[in-house]
Amino acid sequence: MKRIELQPGYTISRVIKGGWHLAGGHGNISEEQALVDMHHFVKAGITTFDCADIYTGVEELIGKFRKKYEDEFRSGELSPIQVHTKYVPDYNALATLRKEDTIRIIDRSLKRLGVEQLDLVQFAWWDYQFPKYLETAVHLSELQKSGKIRFLGVTNFDTKRIREMLDAGVTIASNQVQYSLLDHRVEKNMTALAKEHNIPYLCYGTVAGGFLSDRYLNAPDPIPPYENRSLTKYRLIIDEFGGYELFQEALQVLRMIADQYQVGITEVACNYILQKQMVGGIIVGSRNCNHLESLQKLDSFTLNQNDLAKIESVVSRSKGPNGPFYELERDKTGKHGSIMKYNLNED
């Protein structure tokens, strides 16, 4: 599995194992099987894990994984892992958040993961009407200087607020964004900032919760309620993109390209984003090892200019999503925001 130096001296696998799918809302999870699956991913070269303080039980699971296989890590049989967590203060806490609150959550992540330093903490903020995000970013920067955090990243901020943090002296190592064939919002003005300050993207939604796969090629539009929370979220993105009919055209183009390389639609959708400017890695949510073989095929081919032109012929007809990155999702009363869970850090 290909790797990339995200920042000097810090390398990650370009495919990152996502953790949201292990946090509930995506079917029952066997803890024992989840730990075995993590082992398979690391053996396959996918050594970087994404999780969050608000992904219920996932930091603890990764901590248990480290402990269960500590002898293999120590001997070098298993490669070292990189764990990217998040700091997502509860909506109800945004108006009054103090540095002590931030320290408490960071210390809890350290304890759950069983480490003395967090590799990467990705900071999120639900609502800009509460201006403490800038003060909180500085607090996280201070915790980084104290040694509790190695690298500080952001997730789901817009370009304006990222620039504010940079101007306040915060060093940002990465930016986790939704980026896929169906969602190009970051290209409007964020990529220029990413280049200027060397802030690589770590991308989620790259396969749209599984919609960008052979399973949905020529399939009827699924009827709610959907099988899991991911499908609910990304079916809304399909509407923003231009609807189910245009989405089917996109799948047909991806299938035509996939045939050339003897891979699946998902692999083409992944490499499409991996080949974009400033993309460090893609986060693929996996409840199990079913997709591990297909992920290992990503290194076997590169999309050429002709392939990219075919994809662009569909993307250029898309209607959206529009606006600054993550603006749609910030409207708590809108269809995108109303499906979010805003207070998962409450003890």
Side-chain angles (χ1 to χ4, degrees):
M1 185 63 63
K2 285 181 182 173
R3 301 184 68 78
I4 190 170
E5 191 172 46
L6 194 71
Q7 291 294 335
Y10 184 66
T11 64
I12 65 168
S13 53
R14 294 208 74 197
V15 174
I16 299 168
K17 187 182 188 305
W20 185 40
H21 293 70
L22 298 173
H26 293 85
N28 293 327
I29 301 296
S30 157
E31 179 180 301
E32 185 179 348
Q33 189 57 50
L35 299 180
V36 171
D37 290 344
M38 289 178 188
H39 188 272
H40 285 309
F41 272 80
V42 176
K43 290 294 268 185
I46 299 173
T47 66
T48 309
F49 291 64
D50 182 77
C51 60
D53 53 346
I54 61 167
Y55 293 176
T56 307
V58 180
E59 285 181 327
E60 291 97 327
L61 260 182
I62 296 171
K64 288 175 182 177
F65 170 65
R66 284 183 188 274
K67 192 160 184 62
K68 179 180 174 72
Y69 295 104
E70 61 185 342
D71 289 343
E72 291 185 39
F73 283 119
R74 196 180 296 117
S75 69
E77 188 179 338
L78 274 184
S79 298
I81 63 171
Q82 304 77 47
V83 181
H84 298 172
T85 192
K86 300 182 189 72
Y87 176 46
V88 189
D90 283 351
Y91 192 96
N92 291 344
L94 299 185
T96 58
L97 196 70
R98 303 164 303 159
K99 185 175 181 180
E100 292 77 14
D101 301 316
T102 299
I103 292 171
R104 179 173 58 84
I105 299 297
I106 295 300
D107 284 346
R108 190 182 67 182
S109 291
L110 287 165
K111 184 179 178 183
R112 286 172 169 178
L113 288 163
V115 294
E116 294 181 0
Q117 184 182 60
L118 299 171
D119 294 326
L120 174 71
V121 174
Q122 300 160 109
F123 174 43
W125 193 262
W126 290 116
D127 194 331
Y128 297 141
Q129 73 168 311
F130 303 106
K132 278 180 170 281
Y133 61 85
L134 195 55
E135 178 186 320
T136 305
V138 172
H139 291 160
L140 287 167
S141 184
E142 289 166 1
L143 290 177
Q144 181 183 20
K145 289 173 182 138
S146 77
K148 291 189 177 190
I149 298 168
R150 183 173 179 187
F151 292 106
L152 191 56
V154 292
T155 180
N156 296 337
F157 277 95
D158 61 17
T159 305
K160 177 185 175 185
R161 272 73 183 193
I162 293 173
R163 197 174 287 282
E164 286 177 11
M165 287 185 255
L166 292 167
D167 290 345
V170 177
T171 301
I172 299 173
S174 66
N175 182 10
Q176 187 173 140
V177 294
Q178 184 167 295
Y179 198 2
S180 74
L181 184 151
L182 304 175
D183 186 351
H184 291 78
R185 283 177 288 177
V186 298
E187 293 179 5
K188 290 188 174 72
N189 60 15
M190 194 174 274
T191 299
L193 182 75
K195 288 179 182 176
E196 182 185 348
H197 293 277
N198 186 32
I199 306 174
Y201 294 135
L202 302 177
C203 308
Y204 66 88
T206 302
V207 297
F211 273 114
L212 289 171
S213 68
D214 286 283
R215 176 181 177 183
Y216 288 95
L217 178 64
N218 299 322
D221 192 352
I223 299 167
Y226 301 112
E227 185 183 326
N228 58 53
R229 287 175 65 200
S230 290
L231 295 178
T232 303
K233 172 179 170 58
Y234 292 110
R235 181 62 188 81
L236 293 172
I237 294 295
I238 289 172
D239 282 340
E240 298 289 345
F241 177 73
Y244 201 76
E245 191 174 318
L246 186 62
F247 164 67
Q248 281 296 322
E249 286 187 51
L251 289 185
Q252 287 157 13
V253 167
L254 293 180
R255 183 63 261 166
M256 187 165 53
I257 296 168
D259 285 340
Q260 297 171 208
Y261 301 106
Q262 296 182 305
V263 295
I265 285 174
T266 294
E267 291 93 292
V268 176
C270 286
N271 269 355
Y272 173 70
I273 294 300
L274 282 169
Q275 290 178 219
K276 289 281 188 180
Q277 291 184 324
M278 293 309 298
V279 169
I282 58 170
I283 299 157
V284 179
S286 300
R287 277 179 289 171
N288 49 49
C289 288
N290 290 352
H291 304 297
L292 190 52
E293 187 179 341
S294 69
L295 291 172
Q296 289 175 292
K297 292 178 183 175
L298 294 178
D299 290 349
S300 70
F301 71 102
T302 301
L303 299 174
N304 60 38
Q305 289 305 310
N306 189 39
D307 300 327
L308 296 174
K310 288 174 183 172
I311 295 171
E312 183 56 31
S313 71
V314 179
V315 170
S316 63
R317 290 185 283 127
S318 67
K319 295 176 181 175
N322 295 309
F325 176 67
Y326 212 69
E327 184 179 63
L328 284 171
E329 293 86 348
R330 285 190 180 279
D331 180 2
K332 283 186 78 176
T333 60
K335 58 187 177 181
H336 294 270
S338 63
I339 64 172
M340 304 284 189
K341 296 183 179 181
Y342 290 92
N343 294 293
L344 290 173
N345 255 322
E346 290 178 340
D347 289 330

